[in-house]
Amino acid sequence: MTYTQQLYYVLPLFVVVGGASLLLLFEAFAGEGSRRWLMGLAVVTCAAALLATWLVWRRVSDFEEVYLFDRMLVADKFSLFLTMVFLAGTLLTVLLGTDFLREHDSLYGEFFGLLLLTTSGMIILAMAADLVSVFLGIETMSVGAYVLTGAFRRHRRATEAAMKYFVAGAFATGFLLYGIALVYGTTGTTQLADIAKLASANTPPLFVIGQFMLIVALGFKVAAVPFHMWAPDAYEGAPTPVTGYMAAAIKAAGMAAILRVFYTGFGGDVLPYGPLGWATILSILSVLTMTVGNIAALRQENIKRMLAYSSIAHAGYILIGVVAAGLTPASGVARSAVLYYLLAYTFTTIGAFGVVAWIGRRNDERQMVDDWAGLAARHPAAALAMTVFLLSLGGIPPTGGFFGKFYVFRAAMDVDGQIWLVIAGVLNSVVSVYYYLRVVMAMYFRDPAREPRPLASAPMTAALAICAVAVLLMGLLPSSWLGLATSSTVLAAP
């Protein structure tokens, strides 16, 4: 296959990067008066990239893996499914973020370009077939995320959050590079498909250390405990739509990287197993992440911080599916469960943060639980949407979040010796219901302290409606969505 032919398979990536470049040029030369057109161009870019993804999807068969550019990238249904998840999250963030940032006098033209460039890094991660590609994808994604976190330039808290995120991210990058170096030094390759073959028969100590460093680096990206300390401050300080994007799309990209690296590069019948196997380590991190995230969320009065700790807990639930995927490499059940969970979680989380963004105005964001008292009486549609999102996060039917947890737990139950992980997940899910229902109780069963003044924004309303409908459809018609995820579970064989 010639390089020209290979370009077709990365068409979504080129559309996103091209759109981002046009947005940045348009901002530089058109001036502030034309910023109202930037959202439209960003929406068109996301729609065009989704169309390009669908065209590539039709060309790639269910069990086909097309390696590109000297095996640096791979195009398959797995990467294309995740690309659609990333683009959907980006599109929703554009709709939610435009009027929110304008209301807070922080709508800069580069917001849209940075958002798309961050998404391009996610797409690279989903298609990565080499550790070098993983590094490039993570850094492309992370640099944009650092800047987006500080989009409130005049807000001290946003600047502090961006700096904390950047410093912690630079620390994690060091672990990633050292881990890649040690893996390369012991195997002589950075190709994920070749690492497991070379390392399965012989795992020297330096290789194990490199594996642990990769766990640390990728654990940071998904805010797994104990690498989560940056998340609450970064999520609280960032603009609320950006927080939803970070908690959903960026977390999904981190999970995609974990699956690519550990299932493909460190899979097989040796590396996941034993006390030093990555499945054991991720199992421990999963329980710690669920437990710490939920316990910390119980104490939060600030809804953004509560949802931030909730997103940490959800990383633990998703890691259950990752562990099951590594211990059952011949079956695609666990991988399809993870993909379904990521899709449902993306719509749910962006929707929840979207309601938080919609409910308040400049200098009155109404982020405390008490500020939501009586919302159902004043704005029943917003309260209903938030209830749907919170029930989905808690894993209560009939929502996509319920079936996301159900499929992940069921996949883990099929693995010998992992029932304890399922029990931990169920118990943590029960605990999480308490702090989700606190907000529901405040909205429906308490008298309003003061009149809310939500943003009257058609794009924000449309985004919230899309999220709510998607969450309910995934709960009412789960088999259709799971079938789509199942057809996307082909990864390079370990």
Side-chain angles (χ1 to χ4, degrees), residues 118 122 125 137-151 157-173 217-224 227-239 242-254:
T118 303
M122 300 178 189
L125 271 180
I138 284 180
E139 290 307 298
T140 302
M141 175 184 73
S142 298
V143 171
Y146 301 150
V147 181
L148 290 172
T149 302
R157 183 174 295 176
T159 304
E160 178 185 349
M163 183 57 66
K164 286 182 178 179
Y165 192 9
F166 170 73
V167 172
F171 186 71
T173 298
L218 296 177
F220 166 84
K221 295 303 174 185
V222 300
F227 317 114
H228 69 293
M229 301 305 293
W230 60 273
D233 290 336
Y235 286 7
E236 184 182 8
V242 173
T243 305
Y245 178 75
M246 292 165 60
I250 290 180
K251 190 179 295 293

Side-chain angles (χ1 to χ4, degrees), residues 48-112:
L50 283 168
L51 176 61
T53 306
W54 178 73
L55 293 174
V56 179
W57 178 281
R58 293 183 60 189
R59 185 162 179 172
V60 177
S61 64
D62 288 349
F63 299 98
E64 183 181 7
E65 295 163 339
V66 182
Y67 284 95
L68 310 168
F69 310 117
D70 296 327
R71 300 176 66 86
M72 295 295 292
L73 302 175
V74 59
D76 53 15
K77 289 290 183 71
F78 175 82
S79 63
L80 294 171
F81 180 94
L82 286 168
T83 297
M84 288 188 281
V85 172
F86 303 152
L87 291 172
T90 305
L91 176 59
L92 292 169
T93 303
V94 170
L95 295 175
L96 290 169
T98 303
D99 288 325
F100 178 86
L101 291 173
R102 182 182 290 115
E103 170 69 20
H104 290 77
D105 195 25
S106 297
L107 182 60
Y108 303 105
E110 57 267 26
F111 168 78
F112 301 101

Side-chain angles (χ1 to χ4, degrees), residues 164-483:
K164 286 182 178 179
Y165 192 9
F166 170 73
V167 172
F171 186 71
T173 298
F175 275 93
L176 179 63
L177 286 174
Y178 273 114
I180 292 174
L182 291 176
V183 171
Y184 175 74
T186 52
T187 62
T189 182
T190 54
Q191 292 283 331
L192 293 175
D194 296 335
I195 289 173
K197 299 175 184 176
L198 296 171
S200 294
N202 181 27
T203 53
L206 287 179
F207 181 88
V208 176
I209 295 173
Q211 175 182 272
F212 289 168
M213 287 185 170
L214 292 176
I215 291 176
V216 171
L218 296 177
F220 166 84
K221 295 303 174 185
V222 300
V225 175
F227 317 114
H228 69 293
M229 301 305 293
W230 60 273
D233 290 336
Y235 286 7
E236 184 182 8
T240 305
V242 173
T243 305
Y245 178 75
M246 292 165 60
I250 290 180
K251 190 179 295 293
M255 289 297 174
I258 289 176
L259 272 175
R260 280 291 187 195
V261 171
F262 290 101
Y263 177 80
T264 303
F266 297 82
D269 299 327
V270 176
L271 296 179
Y273 299 88
L276 297 180
W278 61 262
T280 302
I281 305 300
L282 290 185
S283 297
I284 297 172
L285 292 182
S286 173
V287 174
L288 287 174
T289 302
M290 290 184 289
T291 306
V292 172
N294 283 318
I295 291 176
L298 287 172
R299 304 179 58 188
Q300 303 303 315
E301 295 296 329
N302 185 294
I303 289 182
K304 282 183 73 174
R305 289 188 72 88
M306 183 199 77
L307 291 175
Y309 281 109
S310 167
S311 74
I312 292 171
H314 278 274
Y317 302 135
I318 300 171
L319 286 176
I320 295 176
V322 174
V323 170
L327 297 178
T328 55
S331 172
V333 173
R335 298 193 301 280
S336 62
V338 171
L339 291 181
Y340 180 97
Y341 198 119
L342 291 175
L343 180 61
Y345 176 74
T346 296
F347 283 117
T348 302
T349 302
I350 290 180
F353 280 105
V355 177
V356 177
W358 181 87
I359 201 64
R361 287 182 175 270
R362 186 177 183 181
N363 300 323
D364 185 25
E365 291 195 60
R366 308 179 70 88
Q367 294 181 4
M368 308 305 290
V369 174
D370 291 340
D371 294 334
W372 290 58
L375 180 65
R378 305 289 185 177
H379 301 282
L384 178 61
M386 191 62 173
T387 302
V388 169
F389 300 138
L390 292 173
L391 293 179
S392 182
L393 288 172
I396 298 175
T399 61
F402 167 77
F403 283 101
K405 289 184 179 179
F406 173 77
Y407 291 139
V408 165
F409 293 162
R410 186 185 66 177
M413 289 183 67
D414 293 337
V415 182
D416 293 337
Q418 297 302 310
I419 187 66
W420 69 278
L421 201 54
V422 178
I423 293 173
V426 172
L427 292 176
N428 272 281
S429 296
V430 173
V431 171
S432 71
V433 172
Y434 169 77
Y435 59 81
Y436 293 132
L437 291 184
R438 280 184 62 207
V439 182
V440 177
M441 292 287 290
M443 291 190 297
Y444 284 92
F445 299 103
R446 289 173 57 184
D447 294 329
R450 53 198 176 97
E451 174 68 25
R453 298 185 304 118
L455 290 171
S457 168
M460 294 183 76
T461 303
L464 294 178
I466 291 170
C467 290
V469 170
V471 170
L472 289 175
L473 284 177
M474 293 191 71
L476 296 172
L477 302 171
S479 58
S480 301
W481 299 86
L482 183 64

